[in-house]
Amino acid sequence: MTTLKDQFGRGIEYLRISVTDRCNFRCLYCMPLEGLEWLPKKDILTYEEITEIVAQLAPLGLRRLRISGGEPTLRPELPRLIAMLHSVDGIEDIALSTNGVRLPEMSESLHRAGLDRVNISADSLRPERIASIARRRLPFDPVQSALAAQRAGLGPIKINMVVMRGINDDEAVDFARLTLDHPWHVRFIELMPVGEMRELTWDHVVPSDELLSRLESVSPLLPVAGPARGNGPATYYAFPGAAGTVGVITPMSHTYCGSCNRVRLTADGRLRTCLFGDHEVNLRDPLRAGDDLVPLYVRALAEKPKEHNLLQMQVGGLRALSQVGG
Ligand code: SAM
Ligand code: SF4
């Protein structure tokens, strides 16, 4: 199968699908405490509509899907969607991004439905701090969620931590140490100036180079290839003899737009060709009108921007990632 390329020759094979804009957390860097103006149900794509979009785009080289949100595990019957997507010809890999709260009870049914693997977002290992960053007190132990997903066969497990200076950066070493005994990929994400972020500033960003040198105070880090599947924009390292790896995702200090292979579908059916910026194409209404989506997709890729310009943006100047399927 040939993969459709954008105007800069980047082959697009990866679609991130937001299935809801709602969430059971209110992470400091993502969602305001009072929530957002939620999309009305009629505006949100049904599972049948999402599957139809994927079925129309798969012949153009789409091979990998990630289900995201908001918090995707809140959408009722999520395993039903996974099973529908799993049966689309050409789809080789389906991953889920989740805050992990519901993984202990859902991992097995998700795996049975055809989910390949999960990324778990976790910004602290301490219950009190989890509650203060997520601004919700829910039973959530990141290690137990990762173990449940691993037992269900949803590996390689990736754990993503958004590092914030003075808020949780003192736990980066504890997260990195998890990789000594577990075959997990712990990735440190640079905080991005999107969403509300009322309580955060540029001073909270910890550049990945600084973070890596802090980790090296524990033990030297060796550059490694990273996980075989879903090896996206992260750069990976490992402590000598460790079961897993640590990675850094650096949207702020080093961009990786040149090798971008992805587009996004919002919960209300807009195709976004760049995570940042406001270029989006409505696929939902043409789909509901019975139109062919392929020409719209081809045109959207032809207009996919070369790169984002996050460094020049005002803090809080962009839609929250929960609204665009981060
Ligand atoms: N609720 C799911 C979760 O938390 O994994 C999926 C959606 S969430 C928007 C996807 C990812 O975006 C999470 O890993 C989250 O940490 C990250 N994210 C959200 N806002 C961010 C920001 N301002 N800077 C960096 N990462 C952010
Ligand atoms: Fe919810 Fe994920 Fe945003 Fe946190 S990062 S508020 S878990 S959507």
Side-chain angles (χ1 to χ4, degrees), residues 29-30 68-71 97-99 121 162 190-192 194 321-322:
Y29 47 75
C30 183
S68 185
E71 177 45 42
S97 282
T98 171
N99 61 25
S121 301
V162 177
E190 285 174 350
L191 177 68
M192 292 180 274
V194 296
L321 294 200
S322 66

Side-chain angles (χ1 to χ4, degrees), residues 19 34 72 74 79 130 147 161-162 171 174 203 237 258 310 318:
V19 294
E34 66 278 14
L74 296 187
I130 292 173
L147 287 170
M161 177 201 197
V162 177
E171 284 190 73
D174 298 341
D203 294 340
Y237 304 84
L310 260 187
L318 286 164

